[in-house]
Amino acid sequence: MAARTSPQPVMQTPVVKRRFVFVLLDEFTLLSFASALECLRIANRMLGQPAYEWTLVGEGGDTATCSAGTEFRLDSDLIELTRDDTVLVCGGMNVQKATTKRLLSWLRREARKGLRLGGLCTAAYTLARAGLLDGKRATIHWENQDSFAEEFDEVTLTKSVFVIDGNRMTTAGGTSSIDLMLKLIADDHGEEIANLVADQQIYSSIRTDQDTQRLSVPTRIGVRHPKLSQVIQKMEQNIEEPISPSILAKEVGMSTRQLERLFRRYLNRSPKRYYMELRLQKARNLLMQTDMSVINVALACGFASPSHFSKCYRAHYNTTPYRERGTQGARLSI
């Protein structure tokens, strides 16, 4: 087998260095962080010079542990930054607990300098808590969307893979860090360099901020039936005020009986049952990720009374909403 040859750098003209400051929160998601860092490393290789440099910081300046349990040595504590720095806060599990008062104060102070500031994975929560996303468009991992929307109504939440709004950036987690970094690299050095970085990572489908993070309804349910997909999409968009099966059927041009047969055939449950499961899934997310009262969770998921909500929840999850809240010391996050 022939030895693999390294691609030749495409640019030798000196460039202005840009520093990225990675703020590692406790239990940060390794994939989001590593994806962003690797893009910078590979970009330097493709450029033939250290156009990008980085430093790892965090509270205490000692170590940070990712959600997989691996410990990373930090370069420093929360340091004084310059206007030319780009800050990327890396979140993951238990982001509420990791978002401390000291961290929020530091972020607010540094943000006043006008530097670029981003949140990877669940760190959009941290930026929002600091008030740094007020009036901005943002995104967060789909599992955290419900709780984020309930808590931060001053932020325009999208389902995009990543969002850049002025000097604020957020990603949905996972490999979406790659898409954000490729966009930043392309802005700095052109599409050719960004494409070379993507090729080095065998990343063949570069996404833009117009791409959504979740799979399409047909892909998720494993069924390609246009009317079924339309109905499920309407259900997902109307959790707080559920629509009756008869109205849903009418909106897609079929009878209630036809809709019933469609759900039974492809999903082995009635439309009413499927809708209930969607509502209960959102309720569980809110119970585990927010401090909303059980009553408010019930109302947010279309239940008129707490008793009916508790009965349905227990039938589906084999526990009550109150016990679920009590046993979940940890918040759900990717």
Side-chain angles (χ1 to χ4, degrees), residues 35-60:
S35 295
L37 186 61
E38 277 296 277
C39 284
L40 299 179
R41 180 191 68 80
I42 296 170
N44 283 347
R45 182 172 165 231
M46 295 300 99
L47 290 165
Q49 56 186 301
Y52 296 107
E53 56 186 27
W54 49 85
T55 186
L56 310 184
V57 308
E59 285 194 80

PDB file of all heavy atoms in Angstrom, residues 35-60:
ATOM      1  N   SER A  35     -14.327  18.520  18.253  1.00  0.00           N
ATOM      2  CA  SER A  35     -14.640  18.859  16.862  1.00  0.00           C
ATOM      3  C   SER A  35     -14.191  20.275  16.529  1.00  0.00           C
ATOM      4  O   SER A  35     -13.631  20.533  15.461  1.00  0.00           O
ATOM      5  CB  SER A  35     -16.149  18.729  16.619  1.00  0.00           C
ATOM      6  OG  SER A  35     -16.580  17.398  16.758  1.00  0.00           O
ATOM      7  N   ALA A  36     -14.436  21.200  17.454  1.00  0.00           N
ATOM      8  CA  ALA A  36     -14.039  22.596  17.224  1.00  0.00           C
ATOM      9  C   ALA A  36     -12.522  22.737  17.218  1.00  0.00           C
ATOM     10  O   ALA A  36     -11.936  23.390  16.342  1.00  0.00           O
ATOM     11  CB  ALA A  36     -14.656  23.486  18.303  1.00  0.00           C
ATOM     12  N   LEU A  37     -11.870  22.110  18.190  1.00  0.00           N
ATOM     13  CA  LEU A  37     -10.413  22.224  18.307  1.00  0.00           C
ATOM     14  C   LEU A  37      -9.701  21.615  17.114  1.00  0.00           C
ATOM     15  O   LEU A  37      -8.734  22.189  16.588  1.00  0.00           O
ATOM     16  CB  LEU A  37      -9.961  21.545  19.599  1.00  0.00           C
ATOM     17  CG  LEU A  37      -8.480  21.687  19.958  1.00  0.00           C
ATOM     18  CD1 LEU A  37      -8.115  23.149  20.140  1.00  0.00           C
ATOM     19  CD2 LEU A  37      -8.170  20.902  21.233  1.00  0.00           C
ATOM     20  N   GLU A  38     -10.158  20.464  16.652  1.00  0.00           N
ATOM     21  CA  GLU A  38      -9.519  19.803  15.520  1.00  0.00           C
ATOM     22  C   GLU A  38      -9.606  20.639  14.251  1.00  0.00           C
ATOM     23  O   GLU A  38      -8.689  20.628  13.427  1.00  0.00           O
ATOM     24  CB  GLU A  38     -10.152  18.427  15.297  1.00  0.00           C
ATOM     25  CG  GLU A  38      -9.586  17.337  16.177  1.00  0.00           C
ATOM     26  CD  GLU A  38      -8.101  17.081  15.884  1.00  0.00           C
ATOM     27  OE1 GLU A  38      -7.794  16.334  14.941  1.00  0.00           O
ATOM     28  OE2 GLU A  38      -7.253  17.650  16.595  1.00  0.00           O
ATOM     29  N   CYS A  39     -10.706  21.351  14.086  1.00  0.00           N
ATOM     30  CA  CYS A  39     -10.832  22.222  12.905  1.00  0.00           C
ATOM     31  C   CYS A  39      -9.728  23.278  12.895  1.00  0.00           C
ATOM     32  O   CYS A  39      -9.135  23.572  11.842  1.00  0.00           O
ATOM     33  CB  CYS A  39     -12.202  22.898  12.889  1.00  0.00           C
ATOM     34  SG  CYS A  39     -13.558  21.823  12.384  1.00  0.00           S
ATOM     35  N   LEU A  40      -9.428  23.836  14.058  1.00  0.00           N
ATOM     36  CA  LEU A  40      -8.377  24.852  14.145  1.00  0.00           C
ATOM     37  C   LEU A  40      -7.001  24.243  13.872  1.00  0.00           C
ATOM     38  O   LEU A  40      -6.169  24.824  13.164  1.00  0.00           O
ATOM     39  CB  LEU A  40      -8.396  25.505  15.529  1.00  0.00           C
ATOM     40  CG  LEU A  40      -9.683  26.243  15.913  1.00  0.00           C
ATOM     41  CD1 LEU A  40      -9.556  26.821  17.321  1.00  0.00           C
ATOM     42  CD2 LEU A  40     -10.001  27.346  14.915  1.00  0.00           C
ATOM     43  N   ARG A  41      -6.755  23.074  14.452  1.00  0.00           N
ATOM     44  CA  ARG A  41      -5.467  22.402  14.240  1.00  0.00           C
ATOM     45  C   ARG A  41      -5.245  22.088  12.771  1.00  0.00           C
ATOM     46  O   ARG A  41      -4.165  22.360  12.211  1.00  0.00           O
ATOM     47  CB  ARG A  41      -5.411  21.106  15.056  1.00  0.00           C
ATOM     48  CG  ARG A  41      -4.096  20.335  14.887  1.00  0.00           C
ATOM     49  CD  ARG A  41      -4.164  18.943  15.482  1.00  0.00           C
ATOM     50  NE  ARG A  41      -5.061  18.051  14.747  1.00  0.00           N
ATOM     51  CZ  ARG A  41      -4.743  17.422  13.617  1.00  0.00           C
ATOM     52  NH1 ARG A  41      -3.550  17.613  13.052  1.00  0.00           N
ATOM     53  NH2 ARG A  41      -5.608  16.612  13.028  1.00  0.00           N
ATOM     54  N   ILE A  42      -6.272  21.533  12.136  1.00  0.00           N
ATOM     55  CA  ILE A  42      -6.145  21.162  10.723  1.00  0.00           C
ATOM     56  C   ILE A  42      -6.023  22.406   9.849  1.00  0.00           C
ATOM     57  O   ILE A  42      -5.284  22.415   8.856  1.00  0.00           O
ATOM     58  CB  ILE A  42      -7.337  20.294  10.286  1.00  0.00           C
ATOM     59  CG1 ILE A  42      -7.323  18.976  11.058  1.00  0.00           C
ATOM     60  CG2 ILE A  42      -7.288  20.015   8.783  1.00  0.00           C
ATOM     61  CD1 ILE A  42      -8.577  18.146  10.872  1.00  0.00           C
ATOM     62  N   ALA A  43      -6.725  23.478  10.205  1.00  0.00           N
ATOM     63  CA  ALA A  43      -6.623  24.726   9.436  1.00  0.00           C
ATOM     64  C   ALA A  43      -5.180  25.242   9.460  1.00  0.00           C
ATOM     65  O   ALA A  43      -4.652  25.681   8.424  1.00  0.00           O
ATOM     66  CB  ALA A  43      -7.573  25.773  10.008  1.00  0.00           C
ATOM     67  N   ASN A  44      -4.538  25.188  10.611  1.00  0.00           N
ATOM     68  CA  ASN A  44      -3.138  25.609  10.688  1.00  0.00           C
ATOM     69  C   ASN A  44      -2.270  24.775   9.758  1.00  0.00           C
ATOM     70  O   ASN A  44      -1.366  25.287   9.080  1.00  0.00           O
ATOM     71  CB  ASN A  44      -2.624  25.458  12.128  1.00  0.00           C
ATOM     72  CG  ASN A  44      -3.117  26.561  13.039  1.00  0.00           C
ATOM     73  OD1 ASN A  44      -3.648  27.571  12.581  1.00  0.00           O
ATOM     74  ND2 ASN A  44      -2.969  26.368  14.343  1.00  0.00           N
ATOM     75  N   ARG A  45      -2.540  23.482   9.715  1.00  0.00           N
ATOM     76  CA  ARG A  45      -1.767  22.581   8.850  1.00  0.00           C
ATOM     77  C   ARG A  45      -1.995  22.912   7.376  1.00  0.00           C
ATOM     78  O   ARG A  45      -1.059  22.927   6.573  1.00  0.00           O
ATOM     79  CB  ARG A  45      -2.176  21.141   9.154  1.00  0.00           C
ATOM     80  CG  ARG A  45      -1.409  20.096   8.365  1.00  0.00           C
ATOM     81  CD  ARG A  45      -1.726  18.703   8.869  1.00  0.00           C
ATOM     82  NE  ARG A  45      -1.282  17.718   7.905  1.00  0.00           N
ATOM     83  CZ  ARG A  45      -2.009  16.731   7.421  1.00  0.00           C
ATOM     84  NH1 ARG A  45      -3.261  16.589   7.819  1.00  0.00           N
ATOM     85  NH2 ARG A  45      -1.529  15.866   6.568  1.00  0.00           N
ATOM     86  N   MET A  46      -3.248  23.185   7.013  1.00  0.00           N
ATOM     87  CA  MET A  46      -3.558  23.499   5.626  1.00  0.00           C
ATOM     88  C   MET A  46      -2.982  24.858   5.220  1.00  0.00           C
ATOM     89  O   MET A  46      -2.602  25.063   4.068  1.00  0.00           O
ATOM     90  CB  MET A  46      -5.084  23.514   5.410  1.00  0.00           C
ATOM     91  CG  MET A  46      -5.788  22.167   5.604  1.00  0.00           C
ATOM     92  SD  MET A  46      -5.197  20.865   4.476  1.00  0.00           S
ATOM     93  CE  MET A  46      -4.050  19.983   5.545  1.00  0.00           C
ATOM     94  N   LEU A  47      -2.915  25.770   6.180  1.00  0.00           N
ATOM     95  CA  LEU A  47      -2.377  27.105   5.894  1.00  0.00           C
ATOM     96  C   LEU A  47      -0.846  27.133   5.930  1.00  0.00           C
ATOM     97  O   LEU A  47      -0.227  28.055   5.413  1.00  0.00           O
ATOM     98  CB  LEU A  47      -2.920  28.117   6.908  1.00  0.00           C
ATOM     99  CG  LEU A  47      -4.407  28.451   6.777  1.00  0.00           C
ATOM    100  CD1 LEU A  47      -4.912  29.144   8.030  1.00  0.00           C
ATOM    101  CD2 LEU A  47      -4.653  29.320   5.551  1.00  0.00           C
ATOM    102  N   GLY A  48      -0.266  26.116   6.556  1.00  0.00           N
ATOM    103  CA  GLY A  48       1.190  26.068   6.636  1.00  0.00           C
ATOM    104  C   GLY A  48       1.767  27.014   7.664  1.00  0.00           C
ATOM    105  O   GLY A  48       2.967  27.304   7.657  1.00  0.00           O
ATOM    106  N   GLN A  49       0.937  27.479   8.588  1.00  0.00           N
ATOM    107  CA  GLN A  49       1.398  28.393   9.629  1.00  0.00           C
ATOM    108  C   GLN A  49       0.354  28.425  10.756  1.00  0.00           C
ATOM    109  O   GLN A  49      -0.811  28.073  10.539  1.00  0.00           O
ATOM    110  CB  GLN A  49       1.603  29.791   9.061  1.00  0.00           C
ATOM    111  CG  GLN A  49       0.366  30.370   8.387  1.00  0.00           C
ATOM    112  CD  GLN A  49       0.655  31.693   7.727  1.00  0.00           C
ATOM    113  OE1 GLN A  49       1.083  32.632   8.386  1.00  0.00           O
ATOM    114  NE2 GLN A  49       0.442  31.770   6.416  1.00  0.00           N
ATOM    115  N   PRO A  50       0.751  28.829  11.946  1.00  0.00           N
ATOM    116  CA  PRO A  50      -0.175  28.852  13.094  1.00  0.00           C
ATOM    117  C   PRO A  50      -1.101  30.059  13.071  1.00  0.00           C
ATOM    118  O   PRO A  50      -0.953  30.993  13.873  1.00  0.00           O
ATOM    119  CB  PRO A  50       0.774  28.876  14.295  1.00  0.00           C
ATOM    120  CG  PRO A  50       1.983  29.593  13.798  1.00  0.00           C
ATOM    121  CD  PRO A  50       2.136  29.166  12.353  1.00  0.00           C
ATOM    122  N   ALA A  51      -2.063  30.042  12.168  1.00  0.00           N
ATOM    123  CA  ALA A  51      -3.007  31.151  12.086  1.00  0.00           C
ATOM    124  C   ALA A  51      -3.933  31.178  13.301  1.00  0.00           C
ATOM    125  O   ALA A  51      -4.445  32.227  13.684  1.00  0.00           O
ATOM    126  CB  ALA A  51      -3.834  31.027  10.808  1.00  0.00           C
ATOM    127  N   TYR A  52      -4.139  30.016  13.885  1.00  0.00           N
ATOM    128  CA  TYR A  52      -5.005  29.910  15.055  1.00  0.00           C
ATOM    129  C   TYR A  52      -4.221  29.378  16.248  1.00  0.00           C
ATOM    130  O   TYR A  52      -3.416  28.453  16.120  1.00  0.00           O
ATOM    131  CB  TYR A  52      -6.190  28.980  14.770  1.00  0.00           C
ATOM    132  CG  TYR A  52      -7.116  29.493  13.690  1.00  0.00           C
ATOM    133  CD1 TYR A  52      -7.120  28.899  12.429  1.00  0.00           C
ATOM    134  CD2 TYR A  52      -7.970  30.570  13.930  1.00  0.00           C
ATOM    135  CE1 TYR A  52      -7.970  29.363  11.430  1.00  0.00           C
ATOM    136  CE2 TYR A  52      -8.817  31.035  12.940  1.00  0.00           C
ATOM    137  CZ  TYR A  52      -8.822  30.436  11.686  1.00  0.00           C
ATOM    138  OH  TYR A  52      -9.655  30.908  10.693  1.00  0.00           O
ATOM    139  N   GLU A  53      -4.470  29.957  17.380  1.00  0.00           N
ATOM    140  CA  GLU A  53      -3.938  29.416  18.627  1.00  0.00           C
ATOM    141  C   GLU A  53      -5.093  29.316  19.612  1.00  0.00           C
ATOM    142  O   GLU A  53      -6.143  29.914  19.423  1.00  0.00           O
ATOM    143  CB  GLU A  53      -2.809  30.290  19.177  1.00  0.00           C
ATOM    144  CG  GLU A  53      -3.180  31.739  19.390  1.00  0.00           C
ATOM    145  CD  GLU A  53      -1.976  32.584  19.803  1.00  0.00           C
ATOM    146  OE1 GLU A  53      -0.842  32.233  19.443  1.00  0.00           O
ATOM    147  OE2 GLU A  53      -2.196  33.606  20.487  1.00  0.00           O
ATOM    148  N   TRP A  54      -4.907  28.534  20.648  1.00  0.00           N
ATOM    149  CA  TRP A  54      -6.007  28.330  21.588  1.00  0.00           C
ATOM    150  C   TRP A  54      -5.477  28.112  22.990  1.00  0.00           C
ATOM    151  O   TRP A  54      -4.315  27.765  23.188  1.00  0.00           O
ATOM    152  CB  TRP A  54      -6.859  27.139  21.166  1.00  0.00           C
ATOM    153  CG  TRP A  54      -6.065  25.901  20.855  1.00  0.00           C
ATOM    154  CD1 TRP A  54      -5.622  24.958  21.735  1.00  0.00           C
ATOM    155  CD2 TRP A  54      -5.570  25.505  19.566  1.00  0.00           C
ATOM    156  NE1 TRP A  54      -4.906  23.985  21.079  1.00  0.00           N
ATOM    157  CE2 TRP A  54      -4.860  24.301  19.739  1.00  0.00           C
ATOM    158  CE3 TRP A  54      -5.691  26.041  18.265  1.00  0.00           C
ATOM    159  CZ2 TRP A  54      -4.252  23.625  18.691  1.00  0.00           C
ATOM    160  CZ3 TRP A  54      -5.088  25.380  17.211  1.00  0.00           C
ATOM    161  CH2 TRP A  54      -4.377  24.180  17.421  1.00  0.00           C
ATOM    162  N   THR A  55      -6.368  28.311  23.937  1.00  0.00           N
ATOM    163  CA  THR A  55      -6.044  28.075  25.337  1.00  0.00           C
ATOM    164  C   THR A  55      -7.282  27.511  26.021  1.00  0.00           C
ATOM    165  O   THR A  55      -8.411  27.822  25.634  1.00  0.00           O
ATOM    166  CB  THR A  55      -5.574  29.375  26.032  1.00  0.00           C
ATOM    167  OG1 THR A  55      -5.140  29.082  27.357  1.00  0.00           O
ATOM    168  CG2 THR A  55      -6.680  30.424  26.075  1.00  0.00           C
ATOM    169  N   LEU A  56      -7.061  26.668  27.010  1.00  0.00           N
ATOM    170  CA  LEU A  56      -8.156  26.044  27.743  1.00  0.00           C
ATOM    171  C   LEU A  56      -8.236  26.656  29.135  1.00  0.00           C
ATOM    172  O   LEU A  56      -7.253  26.640  29.886  1.00  0.00           O
ATOM    173  CB  LEU A  56      -7.934  24.529  27.879  1.00  0.00           C
ATOM    174  CG  LEU A  56      -7.581  23.741  26.612  1.00  0.00           C
ATOM    175  CD1 LEU A  56      -7.508  22.243  26.926  1.00  0.00           C
ATOM    176  CD2 LEU A  56      -8.606  24.000  25.513  1.00  0.00           C
ATOM    177  N   VAL A  57      -9.398  27.214  29.465  1.00  0.00           N
ATOM    178  CA  VAL A  57      -9.557  27.849  30.764  1.00  0.00           C
ATOM    179  C   VAL A  57     -10.795  27.293  31.464  1.00  0.00           C
ATOM    180  O   VAL A  57     -11.657  26.668  30.849  1.00  0.00           O
ATOM    181  CB  VAL A  57      -9.671  29.389  30.638  1.00  0.00           C
ATOM    182  CG1 VAL A  57      -8.523  29.953  29.809  1.00  0.00           C
ATOM    183  CG2 VAL A  57     -11.013  29.801  30.031  1.00  0.00           C
ATOM    184  N   GLY A  58     -10.872  27.550  32.746  1.00  0.00           N
ATOM    185  CA  GLY A  58     -12.024  27.114  33.527  1.00  0.00           C
ATOM    186  C   GLY A  58     -11.855  27.551  34.960  1.00  0.00           C
ATOM    187  O   GLY A  58     -10.762  27.962  35.380  1.00  0.00           O
ATOM    188  N   GLU A  59     -12.921  27.476  35.703  1.00  0.00           N
ATOM    189  CA  GLU A  59     -12.874  27.898  37.100  1.00  0.00           C
ATOM    190  C   GLU A  59     -11.842  27.071  37.884  1.00  0.00           C
ATOM    191  O   GLU A  59     -11.838  25.848  37.818  1.00  0.00           O
ATOM    192  CB  GLU A  59     -14.243  27.760  37.745  1.00  0.00           C
ATOM    193  CG  GLU A  59     -15.218  28.836  37.315  1.00  0.00           C
ATOM    194  CD  GLU A  59     -16.448  28.878  38.200  1.00  0.00           C
ATOM    195  OE1 GLU A  59     -16.375  29.449  39.306  1.00  0.00           O
ATOM    196  OE2 GLU A  59     -17.482  28.333  37.770  1.00  0.00           O
ATOM    197  N   GLY A  60     -10.987  27.778  38.565  1.00  0.00           N
ATOM    198  CA  GLY A  60      -9.944  27.110  39.356  1.00  0.00           C
ATOM    199  C   GLY A  60      -8.640  26.964  38.612  1.00  0.00           C
ATOM    200  O   GLY A  60      -7.577  26.938  39.210  1.00  0.00           O
TER     201      GLY A  60
END
